[in-house]
């Protein structure tokens, strides 16, 4: 009876807190709508550096990051010698249309090429500078024209990477050594007015519709030699010539500083970590380097790449995945294969990516994967559950969506309905034993209106329990600082507790069950000096601190670490479905501390 009353109370509190949020990304400029629909694009790093393949005169690139397109600067190559790399190019074989066809087959909706990278070399026939591809080819080539024609032919948008801040070729432009030798504002503006502005004018006048200009200044303009006025002038030229062309935040102006910036570019290979209301994109590589590197080793799997794309879309982001073709135009086999597999996956599951958005549930909610969402104009909504680890139990719990789905099915087999049970807070799907896709399988839930969610609930794990951690606690009191993992993860994330502290979580129990309660912590003091207690409506549990001792990370390396051990506190009997608060109190003895890691409420 007591539990029932508490549940009714909770329902009232939760219903009041429910907000039916609008699906649309609130801060999207009109011109960026195609971009947020597209979600997946191709980045192409290709230029003179592709001929070096990360090695110059027998020596590997002089930098641990192994960015092959930086060889000119890193290995201090002379301007005239650098272009001799073009002798290695096989111009008869080079066919940019093949890159566009690959992008299309990979399910990508746009292509962005390095029209001018940091080396200052233009991949088009530039009237502004003869440091361009037309000057070094016979018959003259114009890669941007060829790519633009291919994009029009195959229905993809074309984006152009343009290195504005850095240009190693132009005597008045910025290269990092100017930090030692100095640079005058007048000289720099000569480069700006003499090369950047007119080249951008050329690119926006002669190559049809340009979907975006992708600038590459990865620090704020206040820390560079470029002035805000120069950046605004540059953006003004783009708005004047092609008002629909997108501009990314690596122009040097953040989206927060200037809402006219169309989307935020994250760091290289940085994936999204939180839901944003504005458009954003991760530039990503299949291995590590952007330009082709002969000694590349860190190939990511297709599953990893797909999960990166899905993860971004689940937070309202895009991913632009790079190919670094060779000097003969060939795309490395490892890249091509992964892209084609992604394309196959998207040909079946693309509905969960293109035009899809983040759903309201918080990021740590489910341990089986990520959710994306689509709302139709009539309000009907589809949620796409991307199941990364297909549950051995064949039961998929979905927590915190305050509505019963009208239908559930696999995106790969829409004609077969999946059985499920739902009480409007937790939906449990019955899955077939085999997942339909070895990469990532997608389950669709259909709702007749946009479903509300409950914030702050800890979702049920696919392993049949609840993982209660400092990160997903609804309330923390006393010691609250979460120390992130250290020593290669052998010291896990925890809270150091040296004063009376309490932590509270909210869970939803969807059927009567008994859960074993275990706590993991490290403690170096003596037993009897501190106390742990759990209070919840099903009952209370308590235990004294117990010493956990220490262990060694690697032998003979002075790598001693505290042991974090799991201790059973006892069982909690949940006799009816409903919301429950679980409160943990930790009371250390004087001058003692305990490092709290997690609580696990597990069904047995
Ligand atoms: C960095 C590098 C550059 C690469 C880019 C891709 O800014 O300087 O070589 O083009 O990232 O995101």
């Amino acid at each position: 009876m007591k539990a029932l009353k508490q549940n009714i109370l909770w329902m009232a509190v939760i219903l009041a807190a429910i907000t039916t949020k609008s699906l649309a990304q609130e801060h999207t400029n009109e011109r960026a709508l195609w971009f947020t629909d597209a979600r997946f694009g191709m980045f192409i790093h290709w230029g003179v550096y592709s001929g070096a393949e990360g090695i110059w005169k027998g020596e590997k690139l002089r930098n641990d990051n192994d960015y092959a397109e930086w060889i000119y600067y890193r290995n201090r190559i002379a301007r005239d010698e650098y272009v001799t790399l073009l002798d290695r190019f096989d111009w008869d074989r080079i066919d940019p249309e093949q890159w566009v066809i690959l992008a299309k087959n990979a399910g990508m909706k746009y292509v962005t090429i390095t029209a001018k990278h940091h080396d200052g070399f233009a991949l088009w026939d530039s009237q502004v500078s003869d440091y361009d591809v037309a000057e070094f080819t016979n018959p003259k080539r114009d890669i941007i024209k060829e790519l633009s024609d291919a994009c029009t032919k195959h229905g993809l948008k074309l984006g152009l990477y343009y290195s504005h801040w850095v240009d190693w070729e132009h005597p008045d432009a910025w290269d990092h050594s100017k930090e030692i030798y100095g640079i005058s504002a007048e000289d720099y503006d000569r480069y700006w007015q003499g090369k950047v502005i007119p080249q951008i004018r050329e690119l926006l006048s002669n190559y049809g519709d340009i979907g975006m200009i992708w600038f590459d200044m990865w620090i704020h303009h206040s820390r560079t030699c470029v002035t805000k006025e120069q950046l605004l002038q540059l953006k003004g030229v783009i708005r004047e010539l092609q008002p629909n062309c997108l501009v990314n935040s690596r122009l040097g102006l953040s989206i927060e500083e200037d809402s006219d910036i169309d989307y935020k570019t994250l760091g290289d290979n940085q994936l999204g970590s939180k839901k944003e209301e504005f458009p954003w994109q991760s530039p990503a590589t299949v291995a590590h380097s952007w330009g082709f590197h002969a000694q590349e080793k860190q190939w990511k799997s297709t599953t990893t790449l797909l999960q990166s794309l899905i993860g971004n879309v689940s937070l309202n982001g895009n991913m632009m995945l790079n190919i670094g073709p060779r000097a003969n135009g060939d795309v490395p086999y490892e890249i091509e294969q992964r892209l084609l597999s992604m394309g196959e996956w998207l040909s079946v599951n693309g509905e969960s990516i293109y035009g899809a958005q983040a759903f309201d549930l918080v990021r740590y909610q489910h341990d089986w994967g990520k959710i994306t969402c689509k709302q139709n104009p009539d309000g009907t909504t589809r949620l796409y559950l991307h199941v990364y680890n297909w549950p051995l139990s064949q039961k998929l719990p979905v927590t915190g969506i305050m509505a019963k789905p009208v239908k559930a099915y696999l995106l790969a087999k829409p004609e077969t309905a999946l059985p499920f049970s739902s009480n409007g807070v937790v939906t449990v799907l019955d899955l077939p034993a085999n997942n339909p896709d070895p990469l990532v399988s997608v389950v669709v839930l259909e709702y007749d209106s946009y479903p509300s969610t409950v914030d702050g609930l800890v979702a049920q794990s696919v392993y049949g329990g609840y993982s209660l951690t400092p990160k997903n606690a609804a309330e923390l009191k006393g010691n609250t600082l979460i120390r992130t993992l250290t020593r290669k993860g052998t010291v896990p994330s925890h809270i150091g507790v040296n004063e009376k502290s309490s932590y509270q979580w909210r869970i939803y129990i969807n059927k009567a069950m008994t859960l074993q309660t275990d706590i993991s912590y490290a403690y170096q003091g003596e037993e009897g000096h501190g106390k742990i207690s759990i209070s919840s409506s099903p009952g209370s549990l308590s235990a004294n601190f117990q010493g956990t001792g220490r262990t060694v990370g690697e032998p003979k390396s002075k790598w001693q670490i505290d042991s974090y051990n799991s201790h059973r506190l006892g069982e909690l009997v949940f006799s009816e479905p409903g919301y429950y608060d679980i409160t943990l109190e930790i009371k250390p003895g004087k001058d003692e501390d305990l490092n709290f890691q997690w609580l696990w409420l597990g069904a047995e």
Side-chain angles (χ1 to χ4, degrees):
M1 195 59 201
K2 200 175 146 210
L4 190 71
K5 263 194 201 150
Q6 195 202 24
N7 280 327
I8 293 169
L9 201 70
W10 266 122
M11 282 301 280
V13 172
I14 284 159
L15 282 172
I18 287 170
T19 44
T20 312
K21 288 172 206 153
S22 129
L23 248 191
Q25 292 179 195
E26 282 151 33
H27 313 296
T28 306
N29 294 328
E30 190 74 10
R31 65 173 88 86
L33 290 175
W34 71 264
F35 177 77
T36 54
D37 260 8
R39 292 300 185 211
F40 189 32
M42 174 183 273
F43 212 175
I44 306 176
H45 275 68
W46 190 77
V48 183
Y49 46 81
S50 310
E53 308 195 334
I55 295 147
W56 175 249
K57 296 186 180 175
E59 182 193 354
K60 196 184 73 65
L61 199 94
R62 284 180 207 152
N63 191 296
D64 285 348
N65 83 4
D66 259 339
Y67 277 5
E69 69 283 3
W70 274 70
I71 196 140
Y72 181 129
Y73 178 79
R74 293 292 179 207
N75 291 40
R76 315 307 300 151
I77 304 176
R79 182 188 192 274
D80 293 344
E81 235 188 332
Y82 181 60
V83 286
T84 62
L85 286 168
L86 289 165
D87 299 343
R88 299 181 184 174
F89 282 55
D90 183 348
W91 293 104
D92 292 336
R93 186 157 157 165
I94 292 162
D95 179 9
E97 186 182 0
Q98 296 309 316
W99 305 334
V100 174
I101 292 171
L102 176 60
K104 187 146 181 135
N105 290 335
M108 294 158 158
K109 304 292 185 191
Y110 52 99
V111 165
T112 300
I113 189 168
T114 48
K116 187 194 88 168
H117 202 265
H118 303 332
D119 61 3
F121 189 86
L123 288 188
W124 71 99
D125 185 2
S126 176
Q127 305 311 304
V128 177
S129 156
D130 59 8
Y131 206 60
D132 70 349
V133 70
E135 189 70 18
F136 293 87
T137 46
N138 185 17
K140 283 186 179 185
R141 296 289 290 263
D142 186 325
I143 300 299
I144 303 307
K145 174 87 177 68
E146 292 173 35
L147 204 65
S148 153
D149 290 348
C151 281
T152 308
K153 182 169 162 193
H154 296 283
L156 273 75
K157 294 254 185 198
L158 174 64
L160 301 175
Y161 171 113
Y162 186 89
S163 176
H164 58 323
W165 169 39
V166 178
D167 187 312
W168 299 320
E169 174 266 340
H170 196 286
D172 298 324
W174 175 260
D175 81 36
H176 296 357
S177 60
K178 298 262 164 74
E179 203 164 299
I180 301 169
Y181 300 108
I183 187 164
S184 79
E186 295 73 39
D187 284 352
Y188 192 70
D189 198 51
R190 192 171 322 119
Y191 154 70
W192 196 264
Q193 307 304 338
K195 189 168 180 183
V196 178
I197 298 292
Q199 282 199 329
I200 288 292
R201 282 191 175 279
E202 278 185 338
L203 288 171
L204 291 172
S205 305
N206 304 334
Y207 299 95
D209 283 348
I210 302 301
M212 64 175 98
I213 301 281
W214 204 96
F215 292 107
D216 194 5
M217 187 157 82
W218 56 92
I219 55 177
H220 190 259
H221 63 82
S222 57
R223 294 165 59 206
T224 72
C225 61
V226 193
T227 64
K228 187 164 179 174
E229 290 65 42
Q230 285 166 327
L231 297 177
L232 291 175
Q233 177 199 11
L234 182 54
K235 183 156 68 71
V237 169
I238 298 168
R239 297 288 180 246
E240 169 206 326
L241 294 172
Q242 292 210 23
N244 293 327
C245 177
L246 307 185
V247 175
N248 68 335
S249 60
R250 280 204 207 169
L251 174 69
L253 290 175
S254 68
I255 207 153
E256 292 83 8
E257 189 177 359
D258 181 350
S259 59
D260 185 46
I261 295 293
D262 297 297
Y263 70 90
K264 179 173 180 166
T265 297
L266 267 48
D268 296 354
N269 277 310
Q270 184 191 1
L271 299 172
S273 58
K274 62 179 200 302
K275 180 184 166 189
E276 302 287 10
E277 290 302 332
F278 49 76
W280 58 272
Q281 174 170 262
S282 303
T285 49
V286 176
H288 179 77
S289 176
W290 302 87
F292 178 78
H293 196 305
Q295 296 175 356
E296 194 71 85
K297 290 183 191 68
Q298 307 168 31
W299 300 105
K300 296 163 197 164
S301 71
T302 308
T303 306
T304 301
L305 296 167
L306 266 181
Q307 291 187 0
S308 303
L309 172 65
I310 296 161
N312 277 10
V313 178
S314 79
L315 300 169
N316 281 335
N318 284 33
M319 183 165 89
M320 186 158 76
L321 189 56
N322 181 68
I323 64 166
R326 301 189 68 184
N328 60 7
D330 285 4
V331 176
Y333 176 81
E334 301 277 13
I335 295 182
E336 192 177 33
Q337 291 309 303
R338 284 162 174 79
L339 259 55
L340 293 175
S341 305
M342 291 178 86
E344 265 172 48
W345 186 88
L346 283 160
S347 69
V348 176
N349 300 292
E351 188 191 311
S352 73
I353 299 295
Y354 307 123
Q357 303 209 340
F359 187 54
D360 291 331
L361 288 178
V362 290
R363 190 173 159 252
Y364 301 111
Q365 185 79 2
H366 292 105
D367 59 359
W368 44 251
K370 302 272 183 259
I371 305 176
T372 63
C373 175
K374 249 183 206 172
Q375 189 180 22
N376 297 314
D378 65 359
T380 57
T381 301
R382 288 182 186 176
L383 297 187
Y384 303 95
L385 318 179
H386 297 83
V387 186
Y388 294 173
N389 54 330
W390 200 251
L392 292 168
S393 64
Q394 293 172 235
K395 300 268 181 231
L396 189 77
V398 186
T399 304
I401 301 171
M402 299 292 286
K404 290 185 187 177
V406 285
K407 219 163 136 192
Y409 52 91
L410 297 169
L411 191 49
K413 287 184 199 144
E415 64 291 344
T416 322
L418 287 180
F420 64 87
S421 64
S422 177
N423 57 11
V425 184
V426 175
T427 299
V428 181
L429 291 134
D430 286 320
L431 302 180
N434 298 321
N435 57 344
D437 198 304
L439 300 171
V440 176
S441 299
V442 185
V443 174
V444 186
L445 298 184
E446 283 193 4
Y447 293 86
D448 51 17
S449 62
Y450 184 69
S452 317
T453 54
V454 189
D455 269 351
L457 260 192
V458 177
Q460 202 177 316
S461 154
V462 267
Y463 303 106
Y466 298 82
S467 169
L468 312 183
T469 68
K471 262 192 186 159
N472 63 17
E475 209 180 276
L476 302 102
K477 282 187 193 149
N479 294 112
T480 56
L481 180 72
I482 303 172
R483 298 184 189 142
T484 50
L485 43 83
T486 48
R487 309 222 65 179
K488 297 190 175 172
T490 55
V491 178
S493 174
H494 64 270
I495 293 184
V497 185
N498 59 17
E499 63 183 27
K500 186 172 145 195
S501 302
S502 68
Y503 310 103
Q504 196 179 77
W505 296 265
R506 189 174 309 153
I507 61 173
Y508 185 85
I509 298 286
N510 56 316
K511 57 172 198 264
M513 61 174 110
T514 299
L515 295 174
Q516 290 292 350
T517 307
D518 296 324
I519 181 168
S520 176
Y521 61 80
Y523 173 63
Q524 302 308 325
E526 280 173 39
E527 193 178 340
H529 287 196
K531 206 167 171 176
I532 293 162
S533 43
I534 298 280
S535 53
S536 67
S537 60
S540 308
L541 302 167
S542 66
N544 290 333
F545 290 5
Q546 282 172 29
T548 58
R550 290 167 68 72
T551 186
V552 166
E554 280 298 329
K556 307 287 172 215
S557 59
K558 296 199 179 125
W559 186 344
Q560 291 201 359
I561 45 182
D562 289 352
S563 283
Y564 283 75
N565 301 341
S566 171
H567 304 258
R568 177 135 305 178
L569 294 173
E571 59 180 38
L572 293 173
V573 181
F574 297 85
S575 52
E576 53 190 303
Y579 292 96
Y580 291 90
D581 278 337
I582 311 292
T583 307
L584 164 71
E585 190 185 87
I586 299 176
K587 213 166 144 190
K590 198 172 172 294
D591 300 329
E592 295 214 334
D593 55 4
L594 170 140
N595 290 344
F596 164 61
Q597 192 192 4
W598 48 248
L599 266 188
W600 171 249
L601 304 190
E604 290 205 322

